Amino acid sequence: GQQLNQSPQSMFIQEGEDVSMNCTSSSIFNTWLWYKQDPGEGPVLLIALYKAGELTSNGRLTAQFGITRKDSFLNISASIPSDVGIYFCAGRIGNQFYFGTGTSLTVIP
Amino acid sequence: NAGVTQTPKFRILKIGQSMTLQCTQDMNHNYMYWYRQDPGMGLKLIYYSVGAGITDKGEVPNGYNVSRSTTEDFPLRLELAAPSQTSVYFCASTPMTEAFFGQGTRLTVV
């Protein structure tokens, strides 16, 4: 299957700091998605991006669909303790979704 | 506001036993998927369906079967459970843009 390279694998930050993570691929995607997964729960959609260059915000979260359509990043500003969790990127080609391996975020109060 | 509902949430199986993981969605989505999630790995596609009566294999289909008799339901069947099938299983549905996930079934095969 398609490979999505997500980095960093884990992050430990102080409350109030900004966070940045990204996903890259050798394939072109039609849609980029960012999910958050809490322990014992399913992934929850945070942001969906539909066209190259698109920059979308959802509260303190901002994500961009790369111009080449092969990458995307997610920024979280002014992190808070409830931001803790695993963040996944996903790319869609046709009716198939491909997922990154996740970024584990720990926020230290 | 049910979305995608999976049952059971947890299950322990003995080697060789069989079980069905249930998945139902109330969003009238044609596309449904089963993934497994192993520690440190991304989601791996087991089977998917593009509509009632149509299913197809994903990346890791061995040891599993599915059926799609209605738009709402997409059960996943394990016929002869093996330790390698210990994992967290997620069902998802999509209107062809974003995927929406259930809460998962944590399966342990001992």
Side-chain angles (χ1 to χ4, degrees), chain B residues 2 13 20 31 52 59 77-78 84 99 105-106:
Chain B
L13 278 183
T20 300
Y31 299 87
E59 192 180 354
R77 179 92 178 150
L78 283 70
S84 61
T105 295
R106 182 175 294 275

Side-chain angles (χ1 to χ4, degrees), chain A residues 21-101:
Chain A
M21 59 191 79
N22 67 84
C23 267
T24 61
S25 174
S26 57
S27 302
I28 292 174
F29 289 106
N30 304 121
T31 303
W32 278 97
L33 306 166
W34 284 93
Y35 291 86
K36 180 174 183 258
Q37 185 176 21
D38 292 325
E41 301 293 327
V44 174
L45 182 66
L46 298 173
I47 291 182
L49 303 156
Y50 304 106
K51 56 183 181 180
E54 180 180 352
L55 184 71
T56 296
S57 293
N58 178 7
R60 293 178 295 106
L61 278 61
T62 301
Q64 185 158 30
F65 193 140
I67 290 291
T68 65
R69 295 170 62 192
K70 295 181 179 181
D71 62 328
S72 177
F73 72 75
L74 174 71
N75 287 340
I76 305 173
S77 62
S79 59
I80 59 178
S82 62
D83 290 335
V84 165
I86 300 178
Y87 292 80
F88 288 97
C89 62
R92 181 186 69 83
I93 303 173
N95 62 16
Q96 296 296 304
F97 295 86
Y98 302 93
F99 295 86
T101 51

Side-chain angles (χ1 to χ4, degrees), chain A residues 1 9 31 33 35 37 40-45 48 50 88 92 94-97 99-101, chain B residues 9 31 33 35 37 40-43 45 48 50 59 90 94 96-103:
Chain A
Q9 194 172 5
T31 303
L33 306 166
Y35 291 86
Q37 185 176 21
E41 301 293 327
V44 174
L45 182 66
Y50 304 106
F88 288 97
R92 181 186 69 83
N95 62 16
Q96 296 296 304
F97 295 86
F99 295 86
T101 51
Chain B
K9 199 163 172 65
Y31 299 87
Y33 306 80
Y35 297 92
Q37 184 179 41
M41 309 289 286
L43 292 157
L45 181 64
Y48 68 101
V50 300
E59 192 180 354
F90 288 102
T94 178
M96 262 293 278
T97 46
E98 315 87 359
F100 297 93
F101 288 85
Q103 290 199 309

Side-chain angles (χ1 to χ4, degrees), chain B residues 22-25 32 67-75:
Chain B
Q22 301 291 345
C23 176
T24 187
Q25 52 97 3
M32 295 187 74
S67 60
R68 184 95 182 272
S69 56
T70 65
T71 299
E72 294 78 19
D73 300 307
F74 190 39

Side-chain angles (χ1 to χ4, degrees), chain A residues 9-21:
Chain A
Q9 194 172 5
S10 61
M11 302 182 74
F12 293 81
I13 61 168
Q14 291 287 139
E15 183 177 356
E17 287 184 350
D18 297 343
V19 172
S20 185
M21 59 191 79

